[in-house]
């Protein structure tokens, strides 16, 4: 799938690429099978706005259709995990929530950038949604897939952002408690509308807000990690822990990184049941489950 057709006022993407294009479901399946033949167990479907998938096709398809197609047509013992990025809140589909909750191969992980919590800032960004409509998406996810991870992106110091508006971003973070949050201070990009506005936020204010957002994001990430302690989770082993050669590292279906003792030559590419014994801000520590 091609890039985003959403012309946000800060985004340079529309000026550096052509119109978005959807690859056929059959072509994507064949690429997945080719990857599986070389030993891959997990794939990530990439699109700047996955909810736009299929609208340029005849007959029209949806991203949920693609998830169902891959889940149903990938043989067992090939690709066992399907991830994707990124959803746009304005076009988010309830059918994607259902697919993540119901399909065995689709990982329980949502990446839904919110960018700001203040409605006026969101209008200035031309995002096409509000604080309340974004939270409605989160409530639907929590109801249908309560153990899923929720990740997002945020921009602080957007032109015209007041301290009161910034507080709405912190309010939204407190309400969601993201598993992982990508944080950015606004910076002007060439050929974008916002770069020419006169109400730019001073760099020192941007820096202060970024530090506050990052501190709160770390607090929430640790809280979300702590829910795993004492649980046995399925970990796909990716490689050796570069800081401890006696350990391997992998990820849960929700995308949390896990470290545990093991032989990388035996375990790499395998799914291992691991008991979580320690929670860290961005990762977990475990041991191979004995039963």
């Amino acid at each position: 799938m091609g890039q985003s057709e959403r012309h946000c006022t800060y985004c340079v993407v529309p000026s550096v690429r052509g119109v978005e294009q959807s690859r056929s479901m059959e072509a994507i399946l064949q690429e997945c099978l080719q990857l599986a033949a070389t030993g891959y167990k997990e794939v990530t479907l990439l699109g700047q706005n996955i909810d736009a998938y299929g609208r340029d096709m005849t007959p029209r398809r949806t991203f949920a259709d693609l998830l169902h197609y891959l889940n149903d047509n990938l043989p067992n013992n090939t690709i066992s995990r399907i991830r994707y990025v990124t959803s746009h809140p304005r076009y988010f589909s309830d059918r994607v929530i259902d697919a993540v909750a119901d399909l065995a191969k689709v990982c329980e992980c949502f990446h839904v950038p919110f960018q700001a919590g203040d409605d006026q800032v969101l209008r200035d960004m031309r995002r096409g949604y509000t604080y309340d409509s974004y939270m409605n998406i989160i409530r639907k996810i929590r109801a249908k897939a309560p153990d899923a991870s929720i990740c997002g992106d945020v921009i602080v110091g957007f032109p015209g952002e007041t301290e009161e508006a910034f507080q709405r971003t912190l309010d939204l973070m407190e309400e969601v408690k993201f598993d992982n949050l990508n944080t950015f201070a606004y910076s002007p990009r060439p050929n974008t509308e916002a770069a020419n506005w006169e109400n730019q936020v001073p760099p020192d204010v941007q820096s202060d807000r970024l530090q506050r957002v990052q501190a709160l994001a770390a607090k929430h990430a640790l809280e979300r990690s702590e829910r795993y302690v004492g649980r046995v989770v399925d970990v796909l082993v990716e490689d050796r822990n570069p800081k401890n050669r006696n350990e391997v590292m992998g990820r849960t279906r929700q995308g949390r990184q896990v470290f545990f003792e093991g032989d990388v030559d035996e375990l790499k590419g395998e799914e291992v049941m691991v008991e979580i014994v320690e929670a860290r801000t961005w990762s977990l520590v475990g041991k191979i489950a004995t039963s």
Side-chain angles (χ1 to χ4, degrees):
M1 182 166 52
Q3 298 293 324
S4 172
E5 290 298 305
R6 311 284 70 75
H7 292 202
C8 299
T9 56
Y10 57 83
C11 185
V12 72
V13 169
S15 66
V16 297
R17 58 91 183 106
V19 297
E20 62 189 10
Q21 296 179 354
S22 302
R23 296 179 60 196
S24 72
M25 295 192 295
E26 294 78 10
I28 294 171
L29 174 62
Q30 287 305 309
E31 184 174 355
C32 290
L33 292 173
Q34 291 168 9
L35 291 169
T38 64
Y40 285 88
K41 300 290 184 65
E42 178 178 307
V43 296
T44 300
L45 306 174
L46 176 63
Q48 188 142 344
N49 174 17
I50 58 92
D51 300 289
Y53 178 81
R55 66 182 182 184
D56 59 330
M57 302 170 74
T58 303
R60 287 174 67 98
R61 304 290 187 188
T62 68
F63 187 68
D65 292 335
L66 175 61
L67 293 177
H68 278 273
Y69 179 79
L70 295 177
N71 185 82
D72 295 344
N73 288 280
L74 283 167
N76 293 331
N77 301 316
T78 58
I79 300 296
S80 59
R81 292 184 175 189
I82 301 170
R83 301 188 188 278
Y84 66 88
V85 289
T86 300
S87 296
H88 192 299
R90 181 177 182 179
Y91 302 97
F92 193 86
S93 167
D94 290 356
R95 291 189 62 210
V96 173
I97 300 178
D98 293 338
V100 172
D102 298 338
L103 300 180
K105 294 184 175 71
V106 180
C107 291
E108 299 85 354
C109 183
F110 294 87
H111 182 216
V112 192
F114 72 100
Q115 307 301 12
D118 181 74
D119 287 351
Q120 182 59 55
V121 173
L122 290 170
R123 282 193 292 271
D124 292 343
M125 290 179 166
R126 200 181 294 131
R127 291 292 289 170
Y129 54 87
T130 65
Y131 183 115
D132 289 341
S133 63
Y134 183 89
M135 286 308 307
N136 190 44
I137 293 170
I138 301 303
R139 285 188 285 271
K140 289 178 180 179
I141 292 172
R142 296 289 192 217
K144 189 72 177 182
D147 199 38
S149 63
I150 299 178
C151 307
D153 299 350
V154 62
I155 298 171
V156 302
F158 187 76
E161 182 188 65
T162 63
E163 177 63 24
E164 182 181 9
F166 172 68
Q167 286 294 330
R168 291 294 286 160
T169 289
L170 299 181
D171 292 343
L172 188 147
M173 291 174 60
E174 288 283 15
E175 195 166 354
V176 177
K177 299 187 186 299
F178 291 94
D179 291 73
N180 185 64
L181 186 63
N182 301 315
T183 61
F184 307 93
Y186 169 77
S187 59
R189 295 290 189 247
N191 302 314
T192 61
E193 294 177 50
N196 299 317
W197 296 348
E198 296 182 357
N199 55 348
Q200 303 292 321
V201 175
D204 60 326
V205 176
Q206 288 187 326
S207 178
D208 173 70
R209 290 176 184 172
L210 184 62
Q211 292 177 46
R212 289 154 66 189
V213 157
Q214 290 173 339
L216 186 58
K219 174 178 177 289
H220 293 159
L222 179 58
E223 291 178 16
R224 295 294 289 165
S225 287
E226 288 171 342
R227 80 186 196 274
Y228 290 102
V229 175
R231 291 169 53 179
V232 174
V233 297
D234 184 5
V235 177
L236 177 58
V237 178
E238 298 175 345
D239 212 337
R240 176 182 281 115
N241 180 357
K243 297 181 179 180
N244 184 340
R245 295 184 62 82
N246 294 321
E247 290 184 347
V248 296
M249 60 184 185
R251 294 187 183 274
T252 67
R253 286 178 58 90
Q254 293 84 357
R256 223 12 153 229
Q257 192 169 53
V258 182
F259 299 97
F260 62 96
E261 287 192 5
D263 185 340
V264 70
D265 294 325
E266 294 181 2
L267 298 178
K268 186 173 183 178
E270 299 297 323
E271 293 187 64
V272 181
M273 301 308 295
V274 177
E275 180 183 352
I276 302 303
V277 299
E278 180 185 345
R280 298 174 179 172
T281 302
W282 308 114
S283 64
L284 306 167
V285 178
K287 61 182 180 180
I288 295 178
T290 56
S291 60

